[in-house]
């Protein structure tokens, strides 16, 4: 339609329906993390559509000339029976429907219905692929954890970082952003390098993308712009700690006084011996020949700065790289602070997976691949809700049975569920009841504790809960194993072809000498 007033009315109607849909969407119960994230992404899409409608309305209201012409055309004509404007618009409508005979009139209804469509409402045989799950990798677990393995590998490849940390130690380093800038303990030579700039740039890109994917209703870009403005003010005032010496280093290396500049190769050398060896290399000879052919001034073997702008360019590039690294470090610190809970959950998940066996990991992947069960629906209305909301009287705090009610007290005493069993190997974890205590020796928590002590989780160590007793038993088993080997050599008897009987050790010695 060409009517501006009709376009304004249509936009107002769509705005109102989008607002109602957004209210309905956010008022739904979200029992799981996946459902909450799906709802937030749909709400973000609705907000984007609302913003586009508002911008369209704003542009329509600013076009005063077209609006005035539309109002004049709708006003009473000069002649009472002049219907030319009416018939001209009728012809346009007929031409539109003749050109598009199969057009569906309810296009907006389909759009808003797709946004408000609740999950698990389709037929059982048809499984629609979740678009939100495609935004995350398998390691990220639908936005529950961060995947920093590639960045950990890049960090360990930096120079002069000391001992290479493991993945858990790397997560601890990132968690240190709560108390100060991230990686502030690295040497300044490392933080001023190009490799660190590349590493911190990739880390910032990933964390920014992850924050946008897991927090779609938060304006991350505006927050980052405010933080960047704050950084620019502090950088100009020289209030950013840990980046002060770079200005002096850039001036020393840039003016040619403390180093030797090679204009042919566009490189700075700190020592005369390195520069002399460089002059005889094939790369330098090729670069010098190319410079001579271009008519540029020849390089100076003595290292005296030539009248070129290369040192100034190097100084400015070093200063720009340092500022960029400091800016990215500042932005990464702010993102890590906002993702502290996610990084802590990631660390706990990595520790838990280390204690799982291969079979348990496969079972976990199968469980994650299963679709979530549909939410229960009330069959009898308020009667069932009252029964579910009825408070369970449990003054003795007895365990709940299969029906959700406390088990009988005699059964509680029969199984000894009131007796505490403490296991020092499991970090002093307390198990209630003998059955739970016997079962825990084959569980992942106890197996992880035995693996940390360097001991196998075999039947010999069943019922052993103290670390000292476990180590003593392991030493005793080693000694008994050596004694069994000695007894096997001396007590086992063998017979030769003539019927003479020897023990194993004597028999093997005589056989080696050729006497048997």
């Amino acid at each position: 339609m060409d009517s501006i007033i009709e376009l304004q009315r249509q936009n107002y109607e769509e705005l109102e329906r989008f607002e109602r849909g957004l209210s309905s969407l956010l008022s739904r119960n979200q029992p799981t993390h996946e459902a909450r994230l799906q709802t937030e992404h749909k709400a973000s899409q609705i907000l984007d559509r609302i913003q586009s409608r508002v911008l369209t309305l704003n542009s329509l209201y600013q076009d005063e000339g077209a609006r005035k012409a539309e109002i004049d055309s709708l006003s009473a004509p000069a002649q009472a029976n002049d219907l030319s404007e009416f018939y001209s618009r009728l012809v346009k409508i007929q031409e539109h429907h003749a050109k598009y005979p199969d057009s569906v009139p309810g296009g907006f209804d389909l759009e808003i219905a797709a946004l408000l469509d609740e999950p698990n409402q389709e037929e059982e045989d048809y499984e629609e692929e979740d678009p939100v799950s495609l935004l995350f990798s398998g390691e990220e677990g639908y936005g529950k954890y961060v995947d920093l393995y590639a960045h950990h590998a890049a960090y360990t490849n930096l120079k002069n970082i000391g001992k290479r940390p493991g993945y858990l130690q790397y997560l601890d380093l990132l968690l240190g952003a709560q108390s100060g800038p991230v990686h502030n303990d690295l040497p300044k030579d490392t933080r001023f390098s190009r490799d660190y700039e590349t590493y911190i740039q990739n880390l910032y890109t990933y964390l920014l993308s992850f924050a946008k994917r897991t927090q779609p209703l938060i304006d991350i870009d505006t927050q980052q712009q405010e933080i960047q403005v704050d950084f620019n003010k502090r950088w100009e005032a020289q209030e950013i700690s840990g980046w002060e010496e770079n200005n002096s280093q850039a001036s020393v290396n840039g003016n040619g006084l403390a180093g030797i500049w090679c204009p042919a190769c566009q490189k700075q050398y700190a020592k005369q011996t390195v520069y002399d060896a460089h002059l005889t290399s094939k790369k330098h000879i090729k670069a010098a020949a190319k410079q001579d052919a271009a008519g540029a001034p020849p390089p100076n073997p003595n290292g005296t700065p030539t009248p070129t702008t290369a040192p100034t360019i190097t100084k400015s590039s070093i200063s720009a790289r340092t500022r960029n690294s400091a800016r990215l470090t500042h932005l990464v610190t702010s993102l890590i602070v906002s993702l502290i809970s996610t990084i802590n959950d990631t660390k706990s998940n990595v520790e838990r997976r280390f204690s799982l066996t291969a079979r348990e990991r496969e079972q976990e992947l199968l469980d994650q691949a299963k679709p979530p069960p549909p939410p229960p629906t009330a069959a009898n209305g308020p009667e069932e809700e009252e029964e579910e909301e009825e408070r369970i009287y449990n003054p003795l705090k007895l365990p709940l049975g299969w029906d959700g009610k406390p088990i009988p007290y005699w059964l509680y005493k029969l199984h000894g569920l009131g007796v505490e069993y403490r296991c020092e190997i499991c970090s002093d974890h307390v198990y209630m009841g003998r059955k739970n205590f016997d079962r825990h020796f084959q569980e992942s928590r106890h197996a992880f504790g035995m693996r940390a002590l360097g001991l196998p989780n075999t039947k010999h160590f069943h019922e052993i809960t103290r670390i000292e007793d476990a180590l003593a038993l392991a030493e005793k088993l080693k000694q008994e194993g050596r004694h069994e080997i000695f007894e096997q050599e001396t007590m086992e008897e063998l017979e030769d072809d003539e019927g003479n009987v020897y023990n194993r050790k004597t028999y093997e010695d005589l056989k080696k000498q050729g006497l048997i």
Side-chain angles (χ1 to χ4, degrees), residues 15 34 150-151 172 262 386 390 420 441 471 481 496 504 507 510:
L15 273 176
E34 290 80 4
H151 307 287
D172 289 331
C262 179
E386 291 179 0
E390 183 180 355
E420 296 184 355
F441 287 103
L471 296 176
D496 61 0
R504 173 177 284 278
Y507 179 82
L510 294 175

Side-chain angles (χ1 to χ4, degrees), residues 88-337:
S88 65
R89 297 199 176 198
L90 180 60
V91 168
K92 290 182 180 180
I93 294 175
Q94 291 175 347
E95 289 177 352
H96 174 81
H97 287 285
K99 187 176 182 181
Y100 305 102
D102 298 330
S103 61
V104 181
F108 177 75
D109 295 335
L110 296 177
E111 178 184 4
I112 197 168
L115 291 173
L116 299 180
D117 184 25
E118 294 189 16
N120 301 323
Q121 296 296 324
E122 302 291 336
E123 298 181 0
E124 295 182 357
D125 297 337
Y126 176 70
E127 294 183 1
E128 184 178 358
E129 190 173 12
D130 183 12
V132 181
S133 63
L134 302 178
L135 300 176
F136 302 99
S137 64
E139 194 66 30
E140 290 173 339
Y142 216 99
K144 295 179 182 178
Y145 316 111
V146 292
D147 183 7
L148 297 174
Y149 284 99
H151 307 287
H152 166 246
Y155 176 81
T156 55
N157 289 329
L158 295 177
K159 298 179 181 178
N160 302 326
I161 64 171
K163 186 178 179 181
R164 310 295 178 186
Y167 189 61
L168 290 175
Q169 289 76 18
Y170 176 70
L171 294 178
D172 289 331
L173 292 175
L174 296 182
L175 291 174
Q178 302 176 82
S179 58
V182 66
H183 298 323
N184 200 30
D185 55 341
L186 288 179
K188 293 186 177 180
D189 294 340
T190 303
R191 286 187 282 121
F192 295 158
S193 63
R194 189 179 300 277
D195 293 337
Y196 177 80
E197 182 189 15
T198 304
Y199 155 73
I200 202 70
Q201 175 69 53
N202 295 335
L203 180 60
Y204 170 71
T205 303
Y206 172 76
L207 292 179
L208 182 63
S209 171
F210 184 82
K212 289 181 179 180
R213 286 177 287 151
T214 55
Q215 302 171 3
L217 296 181
I218 298 178
D219 193 356
I220 304 293
D221 292 331
T222 303
Q223 293 181 355
Q224 292 297 299
Q225 290 175 3
E226 294 175 355
I227 295 172
Q228 188 161 347
V229 170
D230 176 67
F231 167 79
N232 293 334
K233 294 179 180 178
R234 295 178 60 186
W235 180 268
E236 295 298 333
Q238 297 183 356
E239 297 177 357
I240 305 295
S241 60
W243 303 87
E244 298 86 358
E245 293 186 8
N246 188 62
N247 294 331
S248 60
Q249 288 180 0
S251 62
V252 171
N253 293 334
N255 58 16
L257 296 177
I260 304 173
W261 173 257
C262 179
C265 300
Q266 299 292 310
K267 285 187 179 180
Q268 187 82 13
Y269 295 91
K271 295 183 180 180
Q272 181 68 34
T273 55
V274 178
Y275 178 75
D276 293 339
H278 160 73
L279 294 177
T280 60
S281 64
K282 295 181 179 179
K283 186 176 180 181
H284 173 79
I285 295 173
K286 185 184 295 185
K290 186 176 181 180
Q291 187 183 44
D292 293 339
N300 193 344
N302 297 325
T304 305
T306 57
T308 61
T309 59
T312 305
I313 296 174
T314 303
K315 177 180 177 180
S316 62
S317 63
I318 293 176
S319 178
R321 184 172 70 239
T322 304
R323 180 189 177 96
N324 189 37
S325 298
R327 179 183 64 85
L328 292 172
T329 302
H330 190 73
L331 295 175
V332 165
T333 302
S334 65
L335 285 174
I336 291 177
V337 171

Side-chain angles (χ1 to χ4, degrees), residues 196-495:
Y196 177 80
E197 182 189 15
T198 304
Y199 155 73
I200 202 70
Q201 175 69 53
N202 295 335
L203 180 60
Y204 170 71
T205 303
Y206 172 76
L207 292 179
L208 182 63
S209 171
F210 184 82
K212 289 181 179 180
R213 286 177 287 151
T214 55
Q215 302 171 3
L217 296 181
I218 298 178
D219 193 356
I220 304 293
D221 292 331
T222 303
Q223 293 181 355
Q224 292 297 299
Q225 290 175 3
E226 294 175 355
I227 295 172
Q228 188 161 347
V229 170
D230 176 67
F231 167 79
N232 293 334
K233 294 179 180 178
R234 295 178 60 186
W235 180 268
E236 295 298 333
Q238 297 183 356
E239 297 177 357
I240 305 295
S241 60
W243 303 87
E244 298 86 358
E245 293 186 8
N246 188 62
N247 294 331
S248 60
Q249 288 180 0
S251 62
V252 171
N253 293 334
N255 58 16
L257 296 177
I260 304 173
W261 173 257
C262 179
C265 300
Q266 299 292 310
K267 285 187 179 180
Q268 187 82 13
Y269 295 91
K271 295 183 180 180
Q272 181 68 34
T273 55
V274 178
Y275 178 75
D276 293 339
H278 160 73
L279 294 177
T280 60
S281 64
K282 295 181 179 179
K283 186 176 180 181
H284 173 79
I285 295 173
K286 185 184 295 185
K290 186 176 181 180
Q291 187 183 44
D292 293 339
N300 193 344
N302 297 325
T304 305
T306 57
T308 61
T309 59
T312 305
I313 296 174
T314 303
K315 177 180 177 180
S316 62
S317 63
I318 293 176
S319 178
R321 184 172 70 239
T322 304
R323 180 189 177 96
N324 189 37
S325 298
R327 179 183 64 85
L328 292 172
T329 302
H330 190 73
L331 295 175
V332 165
T333 302
S334 65
L335 285 174
I336 291 177
V337 171
S338 64
L339 297 173
I340 284 295
S341 59
T342 305
I343 297 177
N344 281 322
D345 294 342
T346 303
K347 182 180 176 183
S348 301
N349 182 55
V350 172
E351 292 176 345
R352 181 186 62 83
R353 291 180 61 186
F354 280 165
S355 62
L356 297 179
T357 62
R359 185 176 181 181
E360 290 173 338
R361 291 174 184 170
E362 293 177 358
Q363 185 63 34
E364 183 179 6
L365 292 176
L366 293 176
D367 295 339
Q368 291 177 356
K370 294 180 181 178
T377 56
N380 298 330
E383 296 182 0
E384 284 195 359
E385 292 182 0
E386 291 179 0
E387 292 180 1
E388 292 176 358
E389 294 177 358
E390 183 180 355
R391 186 175 179 180
I392 298 175
Y393 182 69
N394 189 12
L396 298 179
K397 297 182 179 180
L398 300 176
L400 301 181
W402 60 270
D403 55 354
K405 298 181 180 180
I407 63 175
Y409 185 70
W410 64 267
L411 187 62
Y412 174 80
K413 297 293 289 184
L414 177 64
H415 290 287
L417 297 178
V419 182
E420 296 184 355
Y421 294 90
R422 189 179 302 273
C423 181
E424 185 180 356
I425 298 176
C426 299
S427 302
D428 286 337
H429 189 78
V430 177
Y431 298 91
M432 303 301 294
R434 183 70 189 184
K435 187 176 181 180
N436 294 331
F437 176 71
D438 292 338
R439 191 189 301 126
H440 101 278
F441 287 103
Q442 303 301 325
E443 293 178 352
S444 59
R445 183 194 296 270
H446 191 82
F448 180 76
M450 294 292 291
R451 196 179 300 118
L453 296 175
L455 302 177
N457 190 22
T458 58
K459 292 184 179 180
H460 300 88
F461 296 93
H462 196 74
E463 302 287 342
I464 302 297
T465 59
R466 296 180 56 192
I467 297 176
E468 182 180 354
D469 295 343
L471 296 176
L473 178 59
E475 186 64 28
K476 183 178 179 181
L477 290 175
K478 288 182 181 179
Q479 295 178 0
E480 289 182 355
R482 295 170 187 164
H483 184 65
E484 289 176 0
I485 294 173
F486 177 75
E487 288 184 349
Q488 184 179 4
E489 292 179 351
T490 57
M491 298 301 296
E492 186 177 0
E493 294 182 347
L494 300 175
E495 183 179 351

